[in-house]
Amino acid sequence: MTVETETIPLAKPVIGPKEEALVLEVLRSGQLSLGPRLAAFEQAFAARLGVEHAAAVSSGTAGLHLALRAVGVEEGDEVVTSPLSFVASSNAILYERATPVFADIDPVTLNLDVDAAAAAITERTRALLPVHIFGYPADTPALEAHGLPIVEDACEALGAFHADGLPVGGRGHPAVFGFYANKQITTGEGGLIALGDQRHKVRIDSERNQGRAPDMGWLDHDRLGFNYRLSDVACALGIAQLGRLDAMLADRARVADAYRAAFAADPVEDLTLPCEDRGGERRGWFVFVVQLPHRVDRDATIRALAARGIQSKPYLPAIHLMSFYRERFGFREGQFPICEDVAARSIALPFFPAMTEGQVARVVRELRAVLGA
Ligand SMILES: *Cc1c(COP(=O)(O)O)cnc(C)c1O
């Protein structure tokens, strides 16, 4: 195949000799789980964010579940969150038989609108769960004013910063990161909770490991737990990935700049690009999501791009309009109109650190051709 017809994938991890060496070392050590790489990965991650503690877990979803339990979310509680997210942030609330209460999003940042969130708070609200969607920092500082526990879904936002200079995940609230293969760093599957409260750390460490206390014997358990452990094999991968994080973030920013330049050179009418950083906030680039013009058929666009060797996908659907949520809670169209409009028109374009300027140009050229622009 020539370069021009090779399919450009949506995402692609960067795995090199360092990853191979550290993983091989773990394999040869014979200690594949609960070994020294777990604490080493947690410490390196916590140091990077400037938080006291970190707890590595088996997925971002598992991290959200344990973080919600840690701040005291229980059956019947309400958790205010964003309907424009990956379904895991809301599902984790359901795991505890609590109720996700959605509030609409800000049309520019696509994060939870802080006024809508404030209006959704009731006396049953137990916690707030902002999502830093597409790597753009949610306005957690404004949400802090309510004095409620906050759990941050930072799964898409490694490398992002708030306007006050703190990194996303560095405010001390349990903040959850995800390491699936398309994320800023990957451990294959995996996640981590960054946190400031020692009591949360103790509870999460126990609950990820069947409810075991650190000083307890093998089969003694004093509370309900789960198996949400992350293996040392995965932690070794994570340590290697952290070592190249700055370079990968710089590459992602370079690719985003290339997209912006390509669209700026010949704008597509009514196409909405990811918002620019504003007021000292900094995006940690994760995906390049554009909102198609209202007149365009999104599914046909995705099919036409695929025929031209460009992967893309709807990203993200509105959670409240998923059939499971509609049936369970009676959600319907029109309840969160900004989210619904954005969700109906958004597509993720290929975006990964090794993407070349030539590939970016080809994606933009094909999209323009497909849209007849
Ligand atoms: C990736 C992601 C998660 C967690 O996903 P896992 O596959 O469980 O690691 C949670 N929330 C958001 C917004 C995500 O993008």
Side-chain angles (χ1 to χ4, degrees):
M1 278 205 278
T2 70
V3 170
E4 271 294 285
T5 55
E6 250 172 49
T7 294
I8 304 179
L10 257 183
K12 193 164 134 188
V14 182
I15 303 289
K18 185 79 179 170
E19 282 78 1
E20 292 177 6
L22 292 189
V23 166
L24 192 59
E25 200 181 285
V26 173
L27 296 180
R28 288 181 173 160
S29 78
Q31 181 152 24
L32 304 193
S33 197
L34 295 174
R37 290 298 177 191
L38 171 61
F41 180 43
E42 290 174 340
Q43 278 156 21
F45 205 101
R48 165 140 195 139
L49 288 187
V51 293
E52 284 294 310
H53 307 287
V57 288
S58 53
S59 70
T61 308
L64 288 163
H65 186 194
L66 294 188
L68 287 166
R69 287 173 63 88
V71 302
V73 170
E74 293 177 354
E75 178 161 6
D77 289 342
E78 294 179 354
V79 179
V80 174
T81 191
S82 172
L84 188 75
S85 176
F86 182 58
V87 71
S89 55
S90 179
N91 281 352
I93 298 166
L94 297 181
Y95 295 166
E96 289 302 312
R97 300 182 184 279
T99 305
V101 174
F102 297 118
D104 212 346
I105 60 169
D106 178 286
V108 176
T109 67
L110 311 185
N111 283 317
L112 201 51
D113 177 301
V114 291
D115 294 328
I121 292 173
T122 73
E123 73 273 5
R124 290 170 63 196
T125 306
R126 185 67 212 220
L128 309 176
L129 201 172
V131 181
H132 306 279
I133 202 71
F134 307 155
Y136 198 84
D139 197 350
T140 314
L143 296 175
E144 285 164 352
H146 298 291
L148 286 160
I150 293 176
V151 169
E152 300 183 66
D153 183 339
C155 285
E156 303 195 351
L158 185 53
F161 285 86
H162 292 286
D164 61 10
L166 281 177
V168 163
R171 311 190 75 80
H173 314 296
V176 181
F177 293 86
F179 307 135
Y180 185 69
N182 66 335
K183 303 277 153 103
Q184 283 93 336
I185 68 168
T186 186
T187 60
E189 298 281 358
L192 177 144
I193 308 158
L195 66 170
D197 187 327
Q198 163 77 17
R199 287 162 309 171
H200 291 162
K201 167 72 174 159
V202 169
R203 178 164 177 184
I204 288 167
D205 280 1
S206 168
E207 290 189 352
R208 74 178 166 184
N209 190 22
Q210 310 288 10
R212 219 167 282 160
D215 56 352
M216 273 187 177
W218 179 241
L219 287 174
D220 201 4
H221 308 270
D222 65 350
R223 55 154 72 97
L224 177 67
F226 306 85
N227 179 355
Y228 284 164
R229 295 188 301 265
L230 190 65
S231 76
D232 267 44
V233 181
C235 290
L237 205 41
I239 291 166
Q241 289 272 289
L242 270 186
R244 64 166 85 246
L245 175 59
D246 286 321
M248 291 194 295
L249 288 173
D251 272 329
R252 284 183 185 269
R254 172 189 57 76
V255 174
D257 285 346
Y259 266 119
R260 281 204 201 287
F263 281 118
D266 187 2
V268 179
E269 207 186 332
D270 298 327
L271 184 79
T272 306
L273 301 183
C275 71
E276 304 265 7
D277 291 349
R278 58 179 198 188
E281 293 173 335
R282 244 169 58 210
R283 187 191 296 268
W285 279 101
F286 168 58
V287 281
F288 200 87
V289 171
V290 300
Q291 295 163 48
L292 298 174
H294 282 97
R295 61 190 148 80
V296 168
D297 179 336
R298 178 173 60 175
D299 292 343
T301 303
I302 289 171
R303 279 194 303 274
L305 284 173
R308 291 161 181 259
I310 311 291
Q311 285 189 355
S312 64
K313 80 171 177 199
Y315 201 84
L316 286 156
I319 295 176
H320 66 287
L321 296 183
M322 292 180 180
S323 49
F324 171 68
Y325 278 84
R326 283 179 192 258
E327 281 159 29
R328 175 121 170 215
F329 297 101
F331 287 121
R332 59 196 187 283
E333 273 88 359
Q335 289 187 285
F336 308 104
I338 301 170
C339 166
E340 290 166 27
D341 177 56
V342 170
R345 295 188 294 117
S346 292
I347 65 171
L349 298 176
F351 190 72
F352 47 90
M355 201 170 172
T356 65
E357 263 86 281
Q359 287 176 313
V360 170
R362 193 177 136 210
V363 172
V364 172
R365 192 164 65 239
E366 299 291 15
L367 179 63
R368 195 175 277 123
V370 164
L371 294 178

